[in-house]
Structures are given as structure tokens and as C-alpha cells.
Amino acid sequence: TEAPLALAPQSTFEPVEIALWGLTYDVDGTRLLDGVTARFDHGQSAAVLGPSGAGKSTLLGVLGGHAGGNVGGALRLNGVAPSAAEQRFASSTLPQDDFVHGALTVRHALFYGALLRSPRRWSRAKKFAAASSALRSLGLAKVANAALSRVSGGERRRAGAALELLAERPVLLMDEPTSGLDAHAALALLKTFADVA
């Protein structure tokens, strides 16, 4: 089988470690995160678990540089305090809701995504090669010619993740990637993401 890293031929991924100490996040005087401490190493697939309303999506927003409030404590990328712009440049975010266009086939969605999202320095041929590799690496080859509106929820989630990976960012943040999937599809999806990591 093809190695998942073939998704990004001659990848420019830089190893990234994320560390948080006593992270807080306040919006309009309301504390939404309080004292979060964690470490995420390069090549690691990690999950943040908690009940509804615990702040999981808020934490992903802060990690991705999309926080509009006041961030306190310490957040480090490779030991350095990043700006919000540096955090956004280092990460891609797969939101809870599907954002792939249902009328497109899986193959076309990835090809167009590669044209729009992959690094500008890549040739058109390299972008298409990366999209084709994403189809195989994320187990989408068998549904490549199916409309996204006709594939399973897990396949749509994998297609969304493939689009984010084509952006060539070293960190992929996923908000409830298994939401709405049955236990078998959720386990298969998490295994795929762990393999890519």
C-alpha cells in the first residue's frame, strides 16, 4: 500500500510542537477557557474530549489563531510565542459542518481544491498529482467519480480533510470529525487520520 506521506510529495512540512501552559481565553469579560495545559508533538494524532459546551471548539479556534478575545497564559509553537497570523499559517481547520460542494465529484473537488489551496510554487501537474495521491491515501479512490452528495458521511469527512491537507500546513485541527458517523465509520476515519499523522 502507498504510504500516507505520499499525499504531499517532497513535502515542506516543518515539524511542529504545540505547548500550552495555563491557557485562558476571555470574551467580553466571560472566561471560556481556564488553565488549559497540554503538549502536542509532531506526528501525533490527539483528541480533546469533553461534554457539550466544555470549550473544545473554542480551544481549536484559539490554537488555529482565530480567537477574537483575550488569550492569556502561554501558547508556543516550537518553543516560540506565535502571532495569530503565524498560527493561521501553520494550521488548517476542518469544521464540524461539511463544506465540500455536493454537486462535484470527489475527484473534481480535490482537483479544484489542489488548484486553489496547494502552494503557489507547485506546478499544475504537481497539484493534480497531489490530489490523485490524496484520493488513494485517504481511501477515496473507489468513490472518486461519485458526487459528494451521494457518498457516505465518513467519505465526505475524508474528502474535507484531504482538501485541508492539500494546503500543506503542518497542523490539521478537526472539530468533531466523527460527528454523525456510526461506530465502525468513526473508527475507520480516526485510523485514517492517525496514519496520515
Side-chain angles (χ1 to χ4, degrees), residues 25 27 32 57-71 75 83-95 117 164 169 171 173:
Y25 179 58
V27 175
L32 301 179
S57 296
T58 301
L59 177 61
L60 290 182
V62 171
L63 291 176
H66 301 288
N70 184 27
V71 179
L75 188 158
S83 68
E86 289 169 328
Q87 287 174 256
R88 287 190 297 272
F89 183 76
S91 64
S92 289
T93 302
L94 181 64
R117 302 200 50 141
E164 292 304 318
R169 305 283 169 78
V171 177
L173 304 170

Side-chain angles (χ1 to χ4, degrees), residues 98-113 135 140 143-163:
D98 286 331
F99 63 96
V100 290
H101 197 294
L104 293 175
T105 66
V106 174
R107 182 185 314 279
H108 283 123
L110 293 186
F111 282 174
Y112 292 135
L135 282 170
L140 296 167
V143 295
N145 296 316
L148 279 158
S149 62
R150 303 260 182 210
V151 300
S152 73
E155 289 161 341
R156 274 194 308 279
R157 293 301 279 172
R158 287 200 304 270
L163 286 170

